[in-house]
Amino acid sequence: MIYSTATVPVNPQGETKLTREQVWKGLELKARDARLFLPPGLCIRCDVVEESATHFVREATIAGSDLREIITLEPQSKVTFFQATGPREGAIVNELFEDEDGALQLKFYCYIGLRGKAPDGPEEQAEQTQFDSDKGYESALLSTLKRTRELLAEGRL
């Protein structure tokens, strides 16, 4: 199994200040259409195909893999992506919270496995290394906040 976590400050010095509501709108938008937040060409399809009071389902093609994800939203606090189909199984979470000093933080954590691959085998170990690298999810959190600031500046948030 792969476990990874990363936390970044939402409002580091020198960046446009974002409110919890603005970050939340960005996270919800990303959950509904990842194309707006991922590098061009990485996500070529992202469609919400089902919606209920408790969750929605999106189907996407990301990095060449077809996925189906069940996504739950805990307003202003947490987005959870359950990997229903695709190369991974498990859950990926983006959570907004205030640290002990009251500063807004954005946290990523996941507990996933690779379908059809040996637990803790070479494929999972390589994935773990990728998650933990400087191109892993800390980078994705920073990219999400950057894109949220861009959408805010464009009046699209």
Side-chain angles (χ1 to χ4, degrees), residues 105-121:
Q105 304 287 316
L106 179 57
K107 180 177 184 175
F108 158 89
Y109 54 98
C110 73
Y111 191 67
I112 58 175
L114 298 178
R115 283 193 173 83
K117 304 295 180 189
D120 297 319

Side-chain angles (χ1 to χ4, degrees), residues 55-89:
H55 70 279
F56 63 91
V57 177
R58 82 174 184 190
E59 293 180 349
T61 302
I62 301 175
S65 295
D66 291 327
L67 324 169
R68 184 177 179 93
E69 296 172 304
I70 301 163
I71 300 170
T72 61
L73 304 173
E74 295 178 37
Q76 306 296 317
S77 110
K78 191 183 297 183
V79 181
T80 305
F81 302 81
F82 296 96
Q83 308 293 293
T85 65
R88 297 179 183 95
E89 56 190 351

Side-chain angles (χ1 to χ4, degrees), residues 31-67:
R32 293 182 177 279
D33 192 352
R35 291 173 293 198
L36 296 171
F37 288 82
L38 296 175
L42 189 62
C43 179
I44 59 171
R45 175 180 67 97
C46 193
D47 302 307
V48 173
V49 296
E50 182 183 318
E51 199 150 355
S52 78
T54 59
H55 70 279
F56 63 91
V57 177
R58 82 174 184 190
E59 293 180 349
T61 302
I62 301 175
S65 295
D66 291 327
L67 324 169

Side-chain angles (χ1 to χ4, degrees), residues 2 11 14-15 18-19 29 31 47 54-55 66 75 83 89 92 94 100 114 120 146:
I2 300 160
N11 293 306
E15 294 289 346
L18 293 171
T19 65
L29 191 55
D47 302 307
T54 59
H55 70 279
D66 291 327
Q83 308 293 293
E89 56 190 351
I92 296 171
N94 283 224
E100 59 279 349
L114 298 178
D120 297 319
K146 179 181 181 214

